[in-house]
Amino acid sequence: MPNTFSIIKPSENPQQTMDVVVYDQYGEPLNKSIACERPLTVLLNWKEVVTLMTLGSRPEALVLGYLKNQSFISKRDKLQSVIIDWQTHSAAVLTEENIERVESALKKKTVTSGCGQGTMYGNVMQQLEGYQVPQTRLKQSQIYAALEALTHYNDTYRKAGAVHGCAICQADQVISFVEDVGRHNAVDTLAGELWLKGDTGADKIFYTTGRLTSEMVIKVAQMGIPVLLSRSGVTQMGLDLANQFGITTIARAKGLRFEIYSGAEKIDFDVKGNQ
């Protein structure tokens, strides 16, 4: 992380949930919590790029991860500051890096199937052409250990629902976990953290509660993470890209059950009688 880089927050991050009174099917009142969703407009050197819908728990990591994953920025040593202003619902990233390519990249925007906000750009797939993530083997017992460790998270989901959770795991340890209204926001936040730390994804597992669509697989490939784990399903394009990038893809993962959609040859089945 550059020595001169600064994060400026005029105010605290907004609340994640709020309490409301609802009524059940019999007209009886119930006290519930709902997730607080809010817009955050991202500006790069004061040029508007996109508006994300987010919980706002770690906005600086979210916007940096988003811009990095879209290939709008790539040099950490050129970063100057991130200014988060919840009064104007904006996040301004200032960099000394040349960003002239942003204008042309925005013209090639493709809206993806992600909930809340999900956009990938035409030049991203060109940059990933022929790319393969680092290859690694994984034990069946490691999958179970990661799933067990992840049961201690999802605080916002348990309290209010309506959010997705994503995590980066290493062996049976959860390195970082984040919840947001969209799974792409959560993965961008983790990508931003990984990038700022200068860490590698080669020995990591990426977990998401959401479905494995094309944009999710692309973002995980950009982080160089070889294993993708989800409690939800996989789309056809997501699977095609996972095979293309060499990502081991495990879905419908909960408790002692999971389905391997790609990379089964890289799994060591070391637990017997789990069915």
Side-chain angles (χ1 to χ4, degrees):
M1 190 171 176
N3 293 331
T4 58
F5 177 73
S6 62
I7 296 173
I8 303 170
K9 293 183 180 180
S11 59
E12 293 297 319
N13 287 341
Q15 65 186 69
Q16 304 297 289
T17 63
M18 63 179 294
D19 297 326
V20 296
V21 176
V22 301
Y23 296 86
D24 68 10
Q25 65 273 25
Y26 302 109
E28 296 294 327
L30 300 172
N31 294 315
K32 294 286 184 179
S33 294
I34 60 173
C36 296
E37 182 180 9
R38 53 190 55 84
L40 185 64
T41 298
V42 180
L43 302 105
L44 181 57
N45 285 358
W46 306 111
K47 179 180 180 61
E48 185 173 327
V49 175
V50 72
T51 297
L52 307 174
M53 300 304 297
T54 177
L55 286 175
S57 61
R58 282 180 278 187
E60 60 285 335
L62 168 60
V63 298
L64 287 173
Y66 176 86
L67 293 171
K68 172 65 168 56
N69 278 344
Q70 300 299 337
S71 298
F72 290 162
I73 58 175
S74 61
K75 297 178 172 59
R76 288 187 297 143
D77 60 349
K78 296 293 186 180
L79 288 174
Q80 295 175 300
S81 63
V82 177
I83 305 169
I84 306 296
D85 186 353
W86 286 114
Q87 296 297 315
T88 60
H89 291 271
S90 64
V93 176
L94 302 182
T95 178
E96 296 176 343
E97 188 174 350
N98 186 336
I99 60 164
E100 290 180 359
R101 63 189 178 279
V102 173
E103 187 75 41
S104 59
L106 286 172
K107 294 178 181 178
K108 294 188 286 183
K109 182 169 69 173
T110 300
V111 179
T112 65
S113 60
C115 56
Q117 179 277 327
T119 55
M120 299 301 290
Y121 294 85
N123 64 339
V124 172
M125 282 307 298
Q126 292 177 2
Q127 293 173 5
L128 290 173
E129 186 175 354
Y131 173 72
Q132 287 264 304
V133 298
Q135 298 302 293
T136 186
R137 297 198 65 80
L138 184 67
K139 293 181 179 180
Q140 177 188 11
S141 57
Q142 289 178 305
I143 300 172
Y144 289 152
L147 290 172
E148 171 60 27
L150 286 159
T151 62
H152 302 292
Y153 293 81
N154 293 315
D155 290 341
T156 302
Y157 180 82
R158 281 196 294 264
K159 186 176 181 182
V163 296
H164 280 291
C166 288
I168 293 177
C169 304
Q170 189 172 26
D172 61 348
Q173 300 294 314
V174 179
I175 305 301
S176 187
F177 182 92
V178 64
E179 292 177 294
D180 212 320
V181 293
R183 61 192 183 279
H184 36 71
N185 284 352
V187 66
D188 280 342
T189 299
L190 293 174
E193 290 183 344
L194 194 70
W195 183 53
L196 284 175
K197 291 176 182 176
D199 201 358
T200 175
D203 57 347
K204 308 293 193 301
I205 298 172
F206 192 90
Y207 170 80
T208 177
T209 58
R211 63 192 184 277
L212 303 181
T213 56
S214 57
E215 73 266 27
M216 286 296 295
V217 176
I218 290 170
K219 289 173 187 291
V220 169
Q222 288 175 311
M223 286 187 281
I225 295 178
V227 181
L228 184 49
L229 182 64
S230 173
R231 75 177 185 197
S232 189
V234 184
T235 68
Q236 173 264 326
M237 186 172 288
L239 182 56
D240 286 348
L241 289 173
N243 283 318
Q244 177 180 324
F245 299 135
I247 296 174
T248 299
T249 309
I250 304 165
R252 308 291 184 189
K254 191 173 182 180
L256 295 179
R257 293 186 179 273
F258 58 82
E259 298 174 358
I260 306 167
Y261 284 75
S262 66
E265 70 279 3
K266 292 176 281 188
I267 303 293
D268 295 324
F269 296 91
D270 60 338
V271 179
K272 305 297 183 182
N274 63 294
Q275 299 297 328

